[in-house]
Amino acid sequence: MKKVAVILSGCGVYDGSEIHESVSVLLALSQLGADAQCYAPDIEQHHVINHLTGDEEPESRNVLAESARIARGEVKALEDFNIHPYDALILIGGFGAAKNHTKWAFDGPAGDVNEEVKCCVKAFYEANKPILALCVAPVVLAKSLTGESVTVSLGSTELPANYDIASFNEGVEKLGLNTQSCPVDDIVVDNEHKIITTPCYMMQGSLAQIYQGIYKGCQKLLEMS
């Protein structure tokens, strides 16, 4: 059975990992016969958002503890990560990828990247083990693999989108990566570098369409591993 490391950034689209994407990944991997292990950095979230009102709350939460909500407690601290048991890596989307894993949400391509996350991404990349990045998570790849001619997708500028895809593309390309258009239910595959991306909630689409892109991505990830 192939083993896949899944990196989370909290719990909830606006300040952590996108829950639909997280569960869809774990379901797809299970359906495809792979074993998933969730990881998260043991750090404080940038902030906490009330997902009902959209307001910032005057409290603090821990990324690892919040990620445990999605993983049903089965999550490990990223500081204890060891690549050797794993065949592939998945980076989940959600604002946490751009607030907790990186500071892209605040500083764009100039924003810092969490060193534990960066080291994990580079370890898989340098070991020629495949990586799947969902939604906004390609910015984590861009900050971790700056200068590498990797091709990723954050969606399409010609289809209905939830965010400014052109602006994200500009920032990623500024760091030396290439971008490619992709609809919500499909994937972009960089065969040379074993990088797979799918837009998920960067684009407008149903949960069924988003799951289709995630399932394709997981299927390709396991084929490449």
Side-chain angles (χ1 to χ4, degrees):
M1 179 180 288
K2 292 183 178 179
K3 294 178 67 69
V4 181
V6 178
I7 299 185
L8 302 173
S9 60
C11 180
V13 56
Y14 299 123
D15 55 14
S17 289
E18 213 297 318
I19 296 173
H20 291 177
E21 293 174 14
S22 303
V23 175
S24 293
V25 161
L26 298 176
L27 174 59
L29 290 174
S30 179
Q31 289 176 325
L32 291 164
D35 182 36
Q37 175 60 59
C38 293
Y39 284 87
D42 187 3
I43 58 175
E44 294 303 300
Q45 289 184 187
H46 174 78
H47 58 195
V48 176
I49 299 295
N50 181 320
H51 281 59
L52 184 62
T53 65
D55 296 330
E56 185 173 345
E57 297 285 354
E59 61 178 283
S60 62
R61 297 189 184 183
N62 178 275
V63 170
L64 180 62
E66 287 297 292
S67 297
R69 293 177 181 270
I70 295 176
R72 295 175 60 86
E74 295 297 322
V75 62
K76 297 181 179 181
L78 201 53
E79 64 184 354
D80 298 326
F81 179 79
N82 185 330
I83 189 175
H84 298 297
Y86 298 104
D87 301 292
L89 172 68
I90 298 179
L91 301 172
I92 305 295
F95 277 77
K99 291 179 176 180
N100 302 325
H101 288 170
T102 72
K103 297 303 179 185
W104 193 287
F106 314 107
D107 301 317
D112 292 336
V113 59
N114 177 277
E115 282 300 318
E116 290 177 352
V117 174
K118 179 179 179 179
C119 287
C120 185
V121 170
K122 291 189 71 173
F124 277 90
Y125 182 76
E126 291 169 359
N128 200 33
K129 293 185 176 183
I131 301 171
L132 168 62
L134 312 182
C135 194
V136 74
V139 304
V140 179
L141 292 180
K143 289 299 301 182
S144 301
L145 304 174
T146 298
E148 299 290 340
S149 58
V150 171
T151 297
V152 299
S153 181
L154 288 115
S156 170
T157 58
E158 300 175 356
L159 294 170
N162 294 318
Y163 303 99
D164 186 352
I165 304 300
S167 178
F168 276 99
N169 286 348
E170 182 180 352
V172 167
E173 291 168 2
K174 185 176 181 179
L175 295 178
L177 283 72
N178 307 306
T179 59
Q180 184 174 318
S181 181
C182 183
V184 65
D185 58 355
D186 209 351
I187 60 176
V188 165
V189 181
D190 182 332
N191 285 296
E192 180 183 355
H193 300 102
K194 292 190 175 181
I195 301 288
I196 307 156
T197 45
T198 186
C200 295
Y201 283 104
M202 294 296 290
M203 305 296 295
Q204 294 179 19
S206 67
L207 178 57
Q209 290 174 308
I210 289 162
Y211 182 70
Q212 189 173 0
I214 288 173
Y215 187 89
K216 288 179 182 177
C218 290
Q219 190 173 42
K220 189 65 177 178
L221 186 81
L222 296 175
E223 288 175 3
M224 282 183 153
S225 64

